[in-house]
Amino acid sequence: KDAAVRFSHKVYALTYHCRKNLSHYVIWLDADMITTAHVTEDWLSKLTRRGAYISTLVREGFSVEAGFILLDTTHPYHKEFINRYEDIYNTDKIFSYKEWHDGYLLDLLIRTMLKEEKIKLFNLTPTNWGRKQGHPFVAGILGEKLDHLKGRRKQLGYSVERKNRGIR
């Protein structure tokens, strides 16, 4: 249950901010994310598409990469989405699922609302990415400006995959 509590902090921070309606888009970046280049409005505009509610990295066989989430707060199902995401924690539904981390639960909710045809997703995973290639985050557009220092990458201060691709 400790893991469920730990990941709930992220979910509650995200949903709290989403309810404030401060901007058209809300972008969540995990605390272990760093910028590697200047982020421009032009680059940010490439991270979503008209009609898409959420942009994130979808990984076949794994849950979505919840280290980067972009939400369109003007979408007609925005409030329902964040309410349902938070409700998983508020009602203890979390403990009825196989896994209790935010990415797994976010993935379930995205897939459910896609099936219900309430939302559309913009997948930021490169189309040619394969699991053996490693880190989809740095392999695509997000890797142009950001790095996600998960696991041993935290100690290194960078993703080895960036270096292998010749990216600083």
Side-chain angles (χ1 to χ4, degrees):
K1 289 190 176 185
D2 290 343
V5 171
R6 189 173 82 238
F7 289 114
S8 73
H9 298 290
K10 174 180 179 174
V11 173
Y12 285 116
L14 177 63
T15 57
Y16 174 81
H17 185 77
C18 282
R19 286 190 177 93
K20 290 181 156 228
N21 291 324
L22 298 175
S23 61
H24 186 129
Y25 295 103
V26 168
I27 298 174
W28 173 272
L29 299 174
D30 275 359
D32 55 2
M33 190 91 55
I34 61 169
T35 55
T36 58
H38 182 71
V39 174
T40 64
E41 284 187 45
D42 182 54
W43 181 77
L44 286 170
S45 71
K46 296 175 186 175
L47 303 181
T48 190
R49 293 293 180 266
R50 180 179 291 283
Y53 169 64
I54 188 168
S55 299
T56 193
L57 292 154
V58 177
R59 306 174 301 173
E60 285 307 314
F62 297 87
S63 56
V64 298
E65 169 51 68
F68 178 93
I69 305 166
L70 182 148
L71 301 171
D72 180 349
T73 65
T74 66
H75 191 278
Y77 287 99
H78 171 67
K79 286 185 177 138
E80 181 179 336
F81 185 92
I82 62 169
N83 287 340
R84 286 169 75 169
Y85 195 27
E86 194 175 85
D87 188 59
I88 294 168
Y89 290 85
N90 289 343
T91 62
D92 287 343
K93 286 180 194 170
I94 186 172
F95 302 115
S96 67
Y97 296 111
K98 177 175 80 168
E99 297 178 33
W100 300 347
H101 59 89
D102 60 311
Y104 180 80
L105 300 167
L106 179 64
D107 190 270
L108 286 175
L109 180 56
I110 289 170
R111 292 178 194 278
T112 298
M113 291 187 76
L114 285 169
K115 284 180 191 168
E116 295 169 353
E117 298 183 0
K118 291 183 174 180
I119 64 168
K120 290 183 181 172
L121 168 102
F122 183 56
N123 185 1
L124 296 170
T125 302
T127 55
N128 62 347
W129 181 79
R131 184 66 189 155
K132 290 183 181 178
Q133 291 173 293
H135 196 7
F137 199 96
V138 298
I141 189 167
L142 293 176
E144 293 175 9
K145 308 278 185 181
L146 304 170
D147 197 356
H148 196 180
L149 304 181
K150 278 182 137 176
R152 74 180 189 104
R153 296 177 186 108
K154 282 185 178 92
Q155 287 74 40
L156 292 173
Y158 65 93
S159 293
V160 174
E161 297 87 348
R162 292 179 69 76
K163 199 173 185 179
N164 293 345
R165 286 184 61 210
I167 304 170
R168 292 177 156 220

